[in-house]
Amino acid sequence: MSGSVNKVILIGNLGDDVKMHHFDSNSCIGKFPVATSETFTKKETGEKVTQTEWHQVVTRNKLAELCEKYLSKGASVYIEGKLKTRKWDDNGTMKYVTEINATTVQFLGSPSGKSSDSINQEDNSEENTPF
């Protein structure tokens, strides 16, 4: 294969409000969990089962500020981005986390029924902002 693709598309609901982290360089990141659910019927029992996956989403700078302003816990969102795994040493133990670095966030509504809006990250140049 001559190339590869790292693209994620999620439609789910925010599990918490956007948490902002500001840096001295006037940059910022926003983090929030998104839940996606899948429902299926077990063949053996006929029982309906719902499985929920949690995804940690990271946004940067203007996109992060807009997400903080317009998104809240429970809101339904469409997210495009890419997977990124970070690792760090926590007192001799290596820890890992895989996150979705969002480039597009579309607000699909919330339990209160607010209207849809789309937010795009045009400038990915600050992609390596430290956490």
Side-chain angles (χ1 to χ4, degrees), residues 55-100:
H55 314 276
Q56 185 66 28
V57 178
V58 177
T59 56
R60 300 181 185 285
N61 301 319
K62 185 67 174 172
L63 180 59
E65 292 169 358
L66 291 170
C67 286
E68 179 187 35
K69 182 175 179 179
Y70 293 108
L71 299 179
S72 60
K73 182 177 180 176
S76 182
V77 291
Y78 168 91
I79 305 231
E80 283 187 30
K82 63 182 181 177
L83 290 176
K84 185 166 185 177
T85 301
R86 296 185 295 117
K87 68 178 183 176
W88 67 97
D89 186 337
D90 185 15
N91 296 323
T93 304
M94 291 305 294
K95 300 229 176 161
Y96 298 85
V97 65
T98 300
E99 301 166 321
I100 290 86

Side-chain angles (χ1 to χ4, degrees), residues 13 15 29 32 45 52 58 70 73-74 80 86 91 97 121-122 125 127:
N13 295 86
I29 61 171
F32 53 93
T45 63
T52 301
V58 177
Y70 293 108
K73 182 177 180 176
E80 283 187 30
R86 296 185 295 117
N91 296 323
V97 65
Q121 176 73 29
E122 296 295 328
S125 62
E127 183 173 276

Side-chain angles (χ1 to χ4, degrees), residues 105-119:
V105 176
Q106 183 173 356
F107 180 60
L108 301 176
S110 67
S112 63
K114 293 180 182 175
S115 64
S116 174
D117 197 7
S118 183
I119 309 166

Side-chain angles (χ1 to χ4, degrees), residues 7-21:
K7 183 166 185 163
V8 174
I9 297 174
L10 297 174
I11 297 176
N13 295 86
L14 267 70
D16 200 358
D17 292 335
V18 178
K19 304 293 185 221
M20 296 295 289
H21 303 274

